[in-house]
Amino acid sequence: MIENKNILIGVTGGIACYKTLELCSRLNKKNANVQVIMTKAATEFVRPAAFETMARCKVYYDMWEGHHESVHHIDLPKWADVFLIAPASASTIGKMANGISDNFLVASYLACEKDVIIAPSMNTQMLRNPATQKNINTLIDYGVKVIQPGSGILACNTVGDGRMEEPENIVKYLEDYFTDKDLVGKKVIVSAGPTIEPIDYVRYVTNHSSGKMGYHIANEAKKRGAEVVLVSGPVNPFEIKDITRIEVKTNEEMKNAIDAHFDDADALIMSAAPVDYRSKEVSDKKIKKSGGNLTIEFVENADILKYFGSKKENQTIIGFAAETDDLVANANKKLASKNADYIIANDLKKEGAGFNTDTNIASIVSKDDVIDLEMMSKLDLANEILNLIR
């Protein structure tokens, strides 16, 4: 998503400069093209040579450097797909808000016709000062996007707001920014992870599902502009911001959580692995050893996918089939019996497919076709699945 994107990074005077070195490294590893502009104050914290090493580019900071070949503060913004200023100090924010172009960075900002993003970083009281807040709000009114700072221990040895967002999260923000928003106006429900069914007060039945597939689907749907409801069993492979996340344990809880949002949804993607059977009798105490075998009677759980397949009107319903044999045949049976639109089928015996992996090998089965996909990351597969939504 950010591969081959041109990202112009502005670095202002603040101790958080060291984070921007890591940010440049992360962007390079994702094959983004990076150029760096520093203020003179920033060079007092980190030498330009450090950014030239980490960003693998020339670093610009001298407004009066020779312009015989090009006017750098005009040409760099033209080159950029986005202009990210991180850290953005109170001083630079104030200059940007008031058009004071007395350095290379602010002059470049004023010449920039692309989107500008700032990641503020400063002392808590400086951030909360009415002048700073007015300047930030002015920039927002101008269309500048703000990556809000976090809270924690600051360089001034106080605790509060003002920490520049972590580089990992800034990269995620940029990936979100560059993702096509083709699902705007769509509501997508995604189920993820296993369910659990209790046997007694301490024991339960579950399966190996890690939830990674469902979480990637939910995260990519959010990036593509959808309203996302994630119904998750007891897993949390990574955090996803700005979605509705509902935690459940049992099959019944999962079905009810989905049902509460289903009528106005555009799609249901059942990537969860609900437990097929539950104990007929659940003890409210721990079952003690008796010196012999223990026999438990299991009864079949309600079929969540089939329930919503029978209830659907205009929703796209996508189910999953994790099989050990007769992959396509079993997927076709599931497609018909559940009244689903698509089944994402994977062979658990294939290396790189199934539970607790970061990759998958899937076939997309519909009533008209079977599309066999190569091994790919679960993130890439998530987008292949989202492309199926009408």
Side-chain angles (χ1 to χ4, degrees), residues 261-322:
H261 293 272
F262 184 75
D263 289 346
D264 63 345
D266 295 282
L268 168 62
I269 303 176
M270 277 293 301
S271 56
V275 176
D276 292 329
Y277 294 90
R278 70 181 189 278
S279 176
K280 184 177 181 179
E281 302 290 339
V282 178
S283 174
D284 61 358
K285 300 177 182 179
K286 178 182 177 181
I287 300 173
K288 304 297 288 184
K289 291 182 179 179
S290 62
N293 293 334
L294 175 66
T295 300
I296 300 174
E297 183 179 358
F298 286 95
V299 296
E300 192 170 1
N301 262 327
D303 191 315
I304 299 175
L305 182 60
K306 186 174 183 178
Y307 171 80
F308 289 106
S310 66
K311 187 179 180 182
K312 75 173 182 178
E313 295 180 352
N314 298 315
Q315 295 92 341
T316 299
I317 294 187
I318 302 172
F320 280 68

Side-chain angles (χ1 to χ4, degrees), residues 212-242:
K212 290 180 181 179
M213 189 72 252
Y215 273 67
H216 278 300
I217 294 170
N219 196 38
E220 294 306 303
K222 186 263 297 187
K223 288 181 183 179
R224 290 168 65 165
E227 175 191 351
V228 178
V229 178
L230 173 61
V231 181
S232 176
V235 291
N236 189 15
F238 54 87
E239 292 291 338
I240 307 175
K241 295 182 179 180
D242 302 322

Side-chain angles (χ1 to χ4, degrees), residues 51-100:
F51 277 99
E52 288 178 349
T53 301
M54 299 304 287
R56 301 174 189 170
C57 68
K58 175 180 173 57
V59 172
Y60 298 85
Y61 58 91
D62 185 356
M63 186 71 173
W64 307 109
E65 185 181 13
H67 287 220
H68 63 283
E69 293 182 354
S70 65
V71 181
H72 300 315
H73 71 280
I74 303 297
D75 289 345
L76 285 171
K78 287 182 178 178
W79 167 87
D81 292 311
V82 71
F83 189 3
L84 168 67
I85 302 172
S89 66
S91 175
T92 295
I93 289 170
K95 290 179 180 181
M96 291 169 63
N98 292 281
I100 302 173

Side-chain angles (χ1 to χ4, degrees), residues 140-168:
I140 292 172
D141 289 341
Y142 290 162
V144 173
K145 303 178 189 301
V146 179
I147 301 176
Q148 294 296 337
S151 297
I153 299 176
L154 306 178
C156 54
N157 204 30
T158 60
V159 177
D161 300 333
R163 284 175 60 91
M164 188 180 94
E165 183 58 275
E166 298 304 316
E168 178 182 6

